[in-house]
Amino acid sequence: MGKIVILTGAGISAESGLGTFRDEGGLWAQHRVEDVATPEGFSRNPALVHDFYNARRVQAAKAKPNAAHEALARLQKNYPGEVVIVTQNVDSLHEAGGASNVIHMHGTLAGALCAACDHRWPAPPQMAVGETCPACAAPTARPDVVWFGEMPYQMDVIYDHLAEATLFAAIGTSGQVYPAAAFVYEAMQSGAHTVELNLEPSTGAASFDEVILGPATETVPRWIEGLLNRR
Ligand code: OAD
């Protein structure tokens, strides 16, 4: 059985009540990316950045996984080959929905990171400016999320998976942020069948073999039932 690699974005968590970035009224319409999602923004005004992620952490903690997260976990359990989930999302809804081995390429709200020594530990619900690192005691704690200008996590592992993929699906992502937006091309080069599941065609929709439009809670469970029944 071939390897399935699934890339997810904010759209898969939208029906769990978590806002996306670029839809109308999305997070980037309310906040300036340069202020809250760059290392420079954090140096300039760490309190503002902590406020932004503290609010998202509170919201994410209240959110429940939806039928799309649960269907992906079902695919991981019932598909005889490997199913790798790579998410750009910093929420933990894949894990809450029962998925395992989720690669959080943009980090996670659940984590804190020391900007001085790279030590990681579970984030408290509210992070504060000047919080010290439990390993080196520097007052340099930051959310363990990837900001613009920083390298996403586990890229080597992700590219290795893409090189072995026989099926690649992108779910709920606008395809506007690299390197994730280029995963479809990597998968194509490996000979994988490529599928996009999104509310509307993404920027790169024309590059996919198949595009399935609609809300993730409807399209993803239906698509996964089809995959599991096809065997
Ligand atoms: P975006 O907000 O850019 O795109 C979300 C996509 O989900 C859009 O194409 C929507 O049409 C689609 N969508 C919305 N509701 C949906 C639903 N119910 N079902 C299916 N699709 C739906 O979010 P991402 O592509 O995840 O990075 O953004 C990528 C990265 O940009 C994020 O990880 C974040 C952001 O800046 C960093 O902060 C580094």
Side-chain angles (χ1 to χ4, degrees):
M1 267 298 165
K3 181 182 282 198
I4 302 179
V5 179
I6 312 264
L7 170 71
T8 66
I12 196 166
S13 296
E15 291 165 86
S16 292
L18 300 182
T20 62
F21 296 94
R22 297 177 182 78
D23 292 305
E24 212 184 313
L27 283 169
W28 293 157
Q30 301 166 45
H31 305 270
R32 279 161 43 97
V33 175
E34 311 84 289
D35 291 341
V36 299
T38 62
E40 295 76 19
F42 189 60
S43 303
R44 267 196 313 271
N45 191 346
L48 181 78
V49 176
H50 277 307
D51 282 351
F52 175 70
Y53 289 98
N54 285 342
R56 294 186 63 202
R57 198 176 292 108
V58 167
Q59 211 191 5
K62 289 189 207 142
K64 301 267 181 291
N66 65 46
H69 298 104
E70 286 162 1
L72 284 178
R74 228 167 24 249
L75 180 67
Q76 264 189 335
K77 287 196 187 85
N78 298 331
Y79 182 72
E82 191 179 357
V83 178
V84 179
I85 299 174
V86 180
T87 188
Q88 299 168 89
N89 297 345
V90 291
D91 65 54
S92 300
L93 293 179
H94 283 300
E95 291 87 343
S100 51
N101 296 325
V102 180
I103 299 177
H104 281 271
M105 64 177 288
H106 289 169
T108 168
L109 290 169
L113 167 70
C114 175
C117 76
D118 282 348
H119 179 68
R120 290 187 160 82
W121 67 100
Q126 299 285 294
M127 291 188 73
V129 178
E131 209 166 294
T132 53
C133 166
C136 75
T140 47
R142 56 167 280 184
D144 188 10
V145 299
V146 174
W147 288 322
F148 286 93
E150 296 181 323
M151 181 61 81
Y153 298 152
Q154 299 198 58
M155 290 309 297
D156 292 354
V157 177
I158 296 170
Y159 284 125
D160 284 350
H161 285 308
L162 288 168
E164 292 174 353
T166 53
L167 174 60
F168 171 77
I171 303 175
T173 177
S174 61
Q176 293 195 38
V177 175
Y178 287 83
F183 288 174
V184 61
Y185 306 112
E186 295 288 327
M188 269 165 61
Q189 282 193 347
S190 317
H193 180 72
T194 58
V195 187
E196 165 166 297
L197 296 102
N198 212 42
L199 199 54
E200 61 201 7
S202 74
T203 313
S207 306
F208 287 81
D209 295 320
E210 209 182 322
V211 176
I212 301 171
L213 299 180
T217 56
E218 291 172 21
T219 57
V220 176
R222 201 183 315 130
W223 176 68
I224 285 174
E225 288 324 306
L227 281 182
L228 290 173
N229 290 335
R230 202 184 300 160
R231 298 192 285 119

